[in-house]
Structure formats: C-alpha cells, structure tokens
C-alpha cells in the first residue's frame, strides 16, 4: 500500500477520494481548491480542520447482499456501480455503528433471514442505517426491508438488543420499489420511540430516520459558530434561515434575534423543525414549507424587512429567483453556507455585481479524506 493509505478498500470503495494524502496535505488540497474558485472575491481564511479526523460520521449506511459464493455481505456500493464492496469497519464511520451492522449480518444467518435481491426483487433485508447522537449517546437502527413480513421479528429485535443494549430505538422501513433511494415510504417502530435526540450548540434536536442532519457533529458546531460570528445578529433583527432543514441554524440564531423565519421545501423536515423549536421552548421562530426562492420573492413584493439572511442551499446552490429577491429585500448581511464551492462561486458572482461585498471566506473541513469542502461566507450590503 502507498505510504498514507490506512484503508485496504480505498480504491474499490471510492468514498475517500483523497485518503492517499496526509491530513495536512488534504487540508492544503482543499484550501487550494477554494482559493482557485473563490480567491478572486476575497482573501480566503485558513481552513479549519479536525484534531481527530477519523470516525466522525454519525450516520452509517450499509447495503446487504450476497457474494459469488453466496455468502451474506454488507458494505458500500463501489463508486458508480451497483456492486457491494464488503466493509466491516471504516476509518470515517462511527465505530459502534459499524459493530452493530456486523452483528446484524451474523444474526441474519442465525435467524435464516434472507438478503434482498434487487434484480429479482425478492428477499428481505436491503439496507441497514444507523444514526448515533454523539452527545446524547442515543442510537437508532433502521432495518430497510423489501417486505413488511418479518419472520421471528420479536426474537430478532431481542437478540440485537441483547448484543447491543446501547441501541435506543429500532425501526423497520419498508422499501419494495426499484429505486436507488435507501428508504421507502412506510416505517414501523419495533423498539423505543422511533427517533433519537442529539445536542448541538446547547440545543436539543430530534433526528428521525429520513430527516437531513449534518453528518459530522464536531465540525457542525465549528461551522455554525462561525456562521453566528459572521451574522453578528442584533436583538431586534429579523433573520431568515433559508434552506433550513430541521431548523438547526435558525434555532441557534433565535437567541440573538428579534424574529427568525425558517424556509424549507421538504415538509417532513419542516414538521421536525417545528418540533425542535417546541422542545427548546423557542417562540420567536416561524417555519414555512415553501420553495425558498418563491418565498423570498413574496417577501420582497410585500416589502417586508429582513436584516440578516442565512442561506444553506444543497449542492446545486441557490437559484436566480432567490438571489434577485435577496437583492430586493436588501438585508444588511448575507451569510452563505455552502457545500459546493463551484455553485458558491457562481452565486457570489451575482451578489458581488448587485450591491453586496464579500467580506470573509472561511472553509471548514466537514468531510476529512473526501474531496468535499464546506465554506461559510460573509457578505455585507454596500
Ligand atoms: N440548514 C440545514 C439543512 C441544509 S441542507 C442544516 O444545516 O441542517 C439543504 C436543505 O435545503 C435541505 O433540507 C433541502 O430539503 C432544502 N431545499 C432544497 N431545495 C430547496 C428549495 N428550493 N427551497 C427550500 N429548501 C430547499
């Protein structure tokens, strides 16, 4: 193996594209990428890396199937294929989650349960998803099955809990469709309350099987604290948390602000966001289930005020409708959190030509060993 390669599956799996570099070289690589794409807008601050860049993923997913000798295997799909690469332990995944997945594989054999064959569309277990609250210690196991029928369900659940008493909830999710999505529509709670709780920046959040939640909790705090520092919210400010997911950023912002409006397209995420606000006893936050662009256009047309806009769009970035309405609303500050510096560069170009000046660019390493890099950018109105 090459000098830095600690993972025998590095090439086959394809998940950690820059694992062949030392961690300090990885940070340099990411820094260069951000400077290349964003350096023309402003000086880029030094990337914030992790002290311990291993086992940071709080969410682990394994596909189940059989190898050529018909043995049960579990692992990840080889990059851009449908072939399962067997994985028992992974350098970036939570150790406990990996152990639970191996236990489930062994239990399948004991219980004579089948894995799902997605060519023939028959069989039972398709995927296992484990989510772990690093602060709370709570663990959720989701068994994704091709059928609702679950032979010896109760004994299987008991056997799993006996081996891993640290599991706090077990859910069966049924996915009988020909799809690349892991989770299906229907979920049945087999043990516990079907969700886990987690603490972030002093607040409690509920995580359900389907909801988006940042996968690196240590760096998420770093990222959100930077976003709050950049936003520098004043006590009567109206803050918009656009692309708010389950409301994490808006909830953290609420203690500094007058009012916060969170807008999100996914209705389940909005439900979770409302619950999260209630759990934390927050009354000055309001969630809207809508397309962020359309919602902002509405605000701009009504001439409503917004002092600070925090935006955290998916990889595709924002859209022109959204950006036009930001300009029209003309908040004092825009804090842009992005997981894709390419679409970020495109959107910053628009804002920089329309009355906004880029003041700070801070990269944060949320995904060590992978090529991905997150940035938080502060813009102020000229
Ligand atoms: N800010 C959240 C979530 C960021 S992920 C957090 O840090 O946890 C991006 C979110 O944007 C997802 O929840 C996705 O459902 C949402 N989204 C995607 N397109 C959208 C659109 N057009 N309008 C509003 N939300 C959108």
């Amino acid at each position: 193996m090459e000098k830095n390669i600690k993972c025998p599956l590095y090439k086959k799996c394809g998940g950690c594209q820059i694992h062949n570099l030392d961690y300090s070289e990885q940070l340099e690589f990411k820094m260069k990428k951000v400077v290349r794409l964003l350096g023309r807008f402003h000086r880029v601050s030094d990337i914030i890396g992790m002290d311990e860049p291993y086992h940071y993923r709080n969410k682990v997913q394994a596909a189940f199937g059989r190898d050529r000798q018909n043995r049960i295997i579990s692992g990840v799909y080889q990059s851009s294929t449908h072939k399962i690469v067997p994985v028992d332990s992974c350098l970036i995944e939570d150790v406990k989650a990996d152990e639970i997945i191996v236990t489930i594989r062994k239990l399948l054999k004991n219980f004579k349960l089948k894995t799902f064959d997605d060519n023939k569309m028959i069989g039972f277990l398709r995927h296992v998803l484990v989510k772990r609250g690093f602060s709370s210690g709570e663990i959720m196991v989701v068994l994704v099955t091709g059928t609702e029928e679950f032979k010896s369900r109760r004994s299987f659940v008991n056997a799993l809990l006996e081996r891993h008493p640290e599991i706090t909830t077990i859910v069966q999710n049924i996915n009988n469709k020909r799809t690349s999505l892991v989770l299906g529509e229907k979920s049945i709670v087999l043990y516990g309350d079907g969700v886990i709780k987690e603490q972030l920046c002093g607040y409690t959040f509920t995580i359900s099987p389907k909801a988006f939640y940042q996968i690196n909790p240590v760096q998420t705090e770093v990222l959100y604290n930077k976003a709050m520092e950049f936003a520098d919210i004043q006590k009567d400010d109206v803050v918009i948390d656009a692309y708010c997911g389950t409301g994490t950023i808006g909830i953290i912002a609420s203690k500094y602000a007058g009012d916060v409006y969170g807008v999100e397209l996914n209705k389940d995420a909005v439900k979770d966001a409302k619950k999260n606000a209630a759990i934390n006893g927050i009354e000055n936050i309001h969630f809207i289930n809508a397309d962020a662009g359309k919602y902002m256009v509405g605000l701009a047309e009504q001439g409503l005020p917004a002092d600070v806009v925090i935006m955290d769009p998916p990889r595709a970035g924002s859209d022109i409708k959204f950006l036009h309405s930001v300009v029209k609303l003309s908040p004092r500050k825009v804090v842009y959190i992005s997981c894709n510096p390419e679409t970020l560069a495109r959107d910053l170009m628009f804002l920089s030509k329309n009355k906004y000046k880029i003041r700070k660019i801070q990269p944060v390493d949320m995904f060590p060993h992978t090529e991905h890099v997150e940035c938080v950018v502060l813009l102020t109105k000229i």
Side-chain angles (χ1 to χ4, degrees):
M1 274 199 275
E2 279 178 54
K3 70 170 173 132
N4 295 307
I5 299 177
K6 297 195 180 79
C7 174
L9 301 172
Y10 157 61
K11 285 239 162 76
K12 263 194 167 169
C13 158
C16 294
Q17 304 86 0
I18 57 168
H19 174 62
N20 57 319
L21 303 178
D22 269 347
Y23 189 53
S24 60
E25 290 168 353
Q26 292 183 17
L27 294 176
E28 253 171 60
F29 170 93
K30 294 186 187 192
M31 195 61 197
K32 276 198 191 130
K33 182 171 172 179
V34 177
V35 170
R36 177 168 55 79
L37 290 163
L38 307 177
R40 68 192 129 137
F41 297 111
H42 195 273
R43 191 183 69 80
V44 178
S45 305
D46 285 345
I47 185 166
I48 308 175
M50 291 188 83
D51 294 337
E52 189 48 62
Y54 295 100
H55 304 294
Y56 58 81
R57 279 192 73 105
N58 57 6
K59 172 184 151 186
V60 176
Q61 222 157 259
F64 277 70
R66 292 197 176 254
D67 66 7
R68 288 225 180 98
Q69 286 81 40
N70 212 30
R71 287 175 303 210
I72 299 177
I73 52 170
S74 60
V76 297
Y77 289 118
Q78 189 165 353
S79 52
S80 48
T81 72
H82 203 64
K83 212 172 139 230
I84 298 172
V85 180
V87 177
D88 276 3
S89 63
C90 163
L91 283 171
I92 65 170
E93 292 173 353
D94 178 54
V95 175
K96 185 53 80 186
D98 283 345
E99 285 171 16
I100 291 171
I101 289 166
V102 170
T103 301
I104 291 173
R105 204 176 62 222
K106 290 181 182 154
L107 284 178
L108 280 186
K109 208 173 162 200
N110 301 355
F111 280 83
K112 299 198 168 56
L113 285 165
K114 294 203 159 63
T115 57
F116 191 76
D117 178 334
D118 42 12
N119 288 318
K120 296 189 188 132
M121 296 296 286
I122 50 168
F124 181 64
L125 191 70
R126 280 185 103 158
H127 299 272
V128 171
L129 167 67
V130 181
K131 293 189 181 188
R132 173 154 176 246
F134 280 20
S135 313
S136 67
E138 296 187 13
I139 299 178
M140 163 164 55
V141 175
V142 185
L143 305 166
V144 184
T145 62
T147 58
E148 188 165 337
E149 191 202 345
F150 189 162
K151 231 176 27 184
S152 16
R153 184 173 69 189
R154 184 165 296 200
S155 342
F156 186 89
V157 165
N158 288 340
L160 181 57
L161 288 169
E162 206 175 279
R163 284 160 183 81
H164 294 284
E166 63 278 12
I167 295 172
T168 50
T169 187
I170 303 177
V171 177
Q172 180 187 359
N173 173 275
I174 297 123
N175 186 354
N176 52 15
K177 299 235 165 73
R178 226 178 247 288
T179 166
S180 57
L181 293 178
V182 172
L183 294 175
E185 282 298 313
K186 186 170 181 183
S187 286
I188 304 168
V189 178
L190 306 181
Y191 173 76
D193 52 14
V195 293
I196 53 167
K197 294 217 163 54
E198 174 64 328
Q199 281 82 38
L200 185 70
C201 297
Y203 294 92
T204 299
F205 295 96
T206 309
I207 305 173
S208 56
K210 270 195 186 166
F212 173 87
Y213 191 82
Q214 295 280 359
I215 55 116
N216 182 337
V218 172
Q219 291 300 82
T220 300
E221 287 215 349
V222 172
L223 181 76
Y224 288 178
N225 286 337
K226 260 298 157 204
M228 290 307 127
E229 179 194 316
F230 285 4
D232 186 28
I233 298 164
Q234 306 298 308
K235 84 173 186 341
D236 294 323
D237 279 350
V238 172
V239 176
I240 292 175
D241 175 11
Y243 310 90
C244 70
T246 53
T248 39
I249 297 174
I251 286 172
I252 293 160
S254 68
K255 78 167 161 205
Y256 309 106
D259 275 293
V260 181
Y261 295 86
V263 53
E264 163 64 45
L265 196 56
N266 178 320
K267 69 173 187 316
D268 293 326
V270 172
K271 267 192 212 153
D272 287 345
K274 287 183 178 164
K275 271 190 222 148
N276 286 333
I279 295 172
N280 292 289
I282 294 167
E283 288 172 354
N284 63 338
I285 192 160
H286 321 275
F287 291 103
I288 299 102
N289 182 198
D291 170 83
K294 280 194 190 139
Y295 172 73
M296 293 282 284
V297 171
L299 286 186
E301 277 167 1
Q302 292 167 52
L304 292 173
D307 301 294
V308 178
V309 169
I310 305 176
M311 54 191 285
D312 184 11
R315 292 189 62 75
S318 189
D319 59 39
I320 201 70
K321 261 193 329 242
F322 183 95
L323 294 171
H324 270 295
S325 45
V326 168
V327 175
K328 197 160 172 202
L329 278 174
S330 82
R332 188 173 76 244
K333 287 185 169 185
V334 176
V335 177
Y336 193 140
I337 301 172
S338 160
C339 57
N340 183 352
E342 269 142 21
T343 53
L344 175 61
R346 180 198 66 202
D347 295 347
L348 290 183
M349 182 57 90
F350 177 88
L351 290 169
S352 68
K353 285 184 181 158
N354 288 281
K355 294 193 285 200
Y356 280 86
K357 189 160 170 40
I358 288 111
R359 303 282 180 187
K360 283 177 186 163
I361 301 175
Q362 177 65 67
V364 178
D365 191 19
M366 300 283 281
F367 315 104
H369 308 281
T370 78
E371 64 194 351
H372 302 291
V373 57
E374 194 96 4
C375 290
V376 47
V377 176
L378 170 65
L379 299 104
T380 56
K381 197 168 61 178
I382 300 172

